[in-house]
Amino acid sequence: RSSEVDVAPKLTAVCDLEAAHPRYAKKLRKQNREKILNAENVVVYAIGKEKPSAAYDAAVTRVVVSIVKDGKLPEGSTCEAFIEGVRVPGGGNSDAPELPDGLSDSPAASLEPLFAHVQRWIRWRDGCAAQYQGRSAFRFWQSCRAMFGIDSEDCRNIAHHGKCNADGATHVIRSNINASSGDEYEDGSRSLVRHLARKCQRPKNVLATGLYSATKYVYIYVPDEAVKEAQSLVNDEGRVQGQLERPLLPQHGD
């Protein structure tokens, strides 16, 4: 299937790195390399008042997959999302509060999808009991093909061995929130998301030489209603047509 669409990795010419990273470019030339992989790492921050749960995870995943594939929110979604200061269109935000200065709506019906040809979703977890190891979580993840048309690959590491670049991104938003303690904005999760989406629209330093450097931020406000709506995705009553009777996700690392 991949041969039918243009899914070639993004590459950066070494000559384009010359001005900003002369020593690195010189090193690459010694290795006879003309281009390097331009990694794209989009960090998603989902904020809401509900406690983490399988339903919360399902609500956020549903929104993220829609943004990645279609450049818009799922139909009827009560979440609100921003990319580089622009509110992601779609969903059911017709009665949402007016946007503050510094944020705007997209004039188009959808943004450019982050990766329209996505075919696989990989979830990493470290075996921690709090990271949705139960039946409800597995029921949702093993339904990805039926719901989204993509395969889900579940990778479980040994407990406390699941650290990745997402952990570093957590420290970034914590720092940004602490730095905003003296700023003026209204109370509530939606206001916090909007403030961060306006103040910290992009990573401060996008490292052309780093494979794990964040290149873009997505901020998502997750209201209580969205989590309640997603409850059906993780319950037996919310079975999706075409999903398996039992969770049979491939698990690597056991």
Side-chain angles (χ1 to χ4, degrees):
R1 289 176 294 178
S2 60
S3 61
E4 299 175 2
V5 293
D6 181 14
V7 292
K10 297 180 179 179
L11 301 174
T12 298
V14 173
C15 59
D16 294 335
L17 298 173
E18 205 82 57
H21 307 279
R23 294 178 61 185
Y24 184 61
K26 183 178 180 180
K27 178 181 177 181
L28 292 173
R29 292 190 186 283
K30 288 183 178 180
Q31 298 172 354
N32 295 320
R33 297 172 64 181
E34 297 181 355
K35 295 181 179 180
I36 62 170
L37 177 66
N38 183 19
E40 188 171 5
N41 299 301
V42 180
V43 179
V44 178
Y45 294 119
I47 300 174
K49 292 190 296 183
E50 282 282 336
K51 293 182 179 180
S53 65
Y56 191 101
D57 189 50
V60 175
T61 301
R62 178 169 172 258
V63 172
V64 173
V65 171
S66 183
I67 293 175
V68 170
K69 292 186 65 177
D70 306 317
K72 60 182 180 180
L73 297 181
E75 183 177 354
S77 173
T78 53
C79 294
E80 187 176 53
F82 297 89
I83 300 178
E84 297 182 338
V86 178
R87 180 159 60 182
V88 178
N93 285 314
S94 57
D95 58 346
E98 184 178 350
L99 291 176
D101 294 339
L103 298 176
S104 62
D105 278 308
S106 170
S110 65
L111 302 178
E112 181 181 355
L114 297 179
F115 189 51
H117 307 302
V118 60
Q119 297 180 7
R120 182 175 58 170
W121 182 282
I122 303 177
R123 179 179 68 148
W124 290 92
R125 53 192 177 91
D126 68 359
C128 171
Q131 291 189 8
Y132 328 125
Q133 312 294 322
R135 181 181 66 178
S136 296
F138 291 139
R139 180 174 299 285
F140 170 71
W141 282 97
Q142 60 94 30
S143 305
C144 278
R145 168 57 62 181
M147 287 189 291
F148 309 128
I150 60 177
D151 294 323
S152 173
E153 184 173 333
D154 184 56
C155 301
R156 183 170 74 86
N157 293 313
I158 301 172
H160 307 298
H161 288 70
K163 297 299 181 183
C164 64
N165 50 320
D167 293 278
T170 301
H171 296 299
V172 173
I173 192 170
R174 183 183 294 117
S175 175
N176 290 338
I177 291 176
N178 290 337
S180 301
S181 59
D183 299 343
E184 294 185 4
Y185 59 92
E186 297 180 5
D187 295 334
S189 300
R190 185 194 292 269
S191 296
L192 175 60
V193 169
R194 290 182 168 195
H195 183 69
L196 292 172
R198 177 182 54 185
K199 182 177 181 179
C200 312
Q201 295 185 7
R202 304 171 186 82
K204 290 183 178 179
N205 297 306
V206 178
L207 302 178
T209 61
L211 283 177
Y212 301 109
S213 173
T215 56
K216 187 176 294 186
Y217 290 154
V218 179
Y219 295 95
I220 302 177
Y221 163 61
V222 187
D224 299 351
E225 309 90 78
V227 180
K228 293 176 181 177
E229 293 168 1
Q231 193 67 50
S232 63
L233 300 177
V234 298
N235 289 343
D236 291 350
E237 294 77 10
R239 185 181 302 281
V240 180
Q241 183 178 6
Q243 78 177 62
L244 303 175
E245 285 294 320
R246 295 181 180 179
L248 295 176
L249 283 174
Q251 297 187 27
H252 306 291
D254 287 353

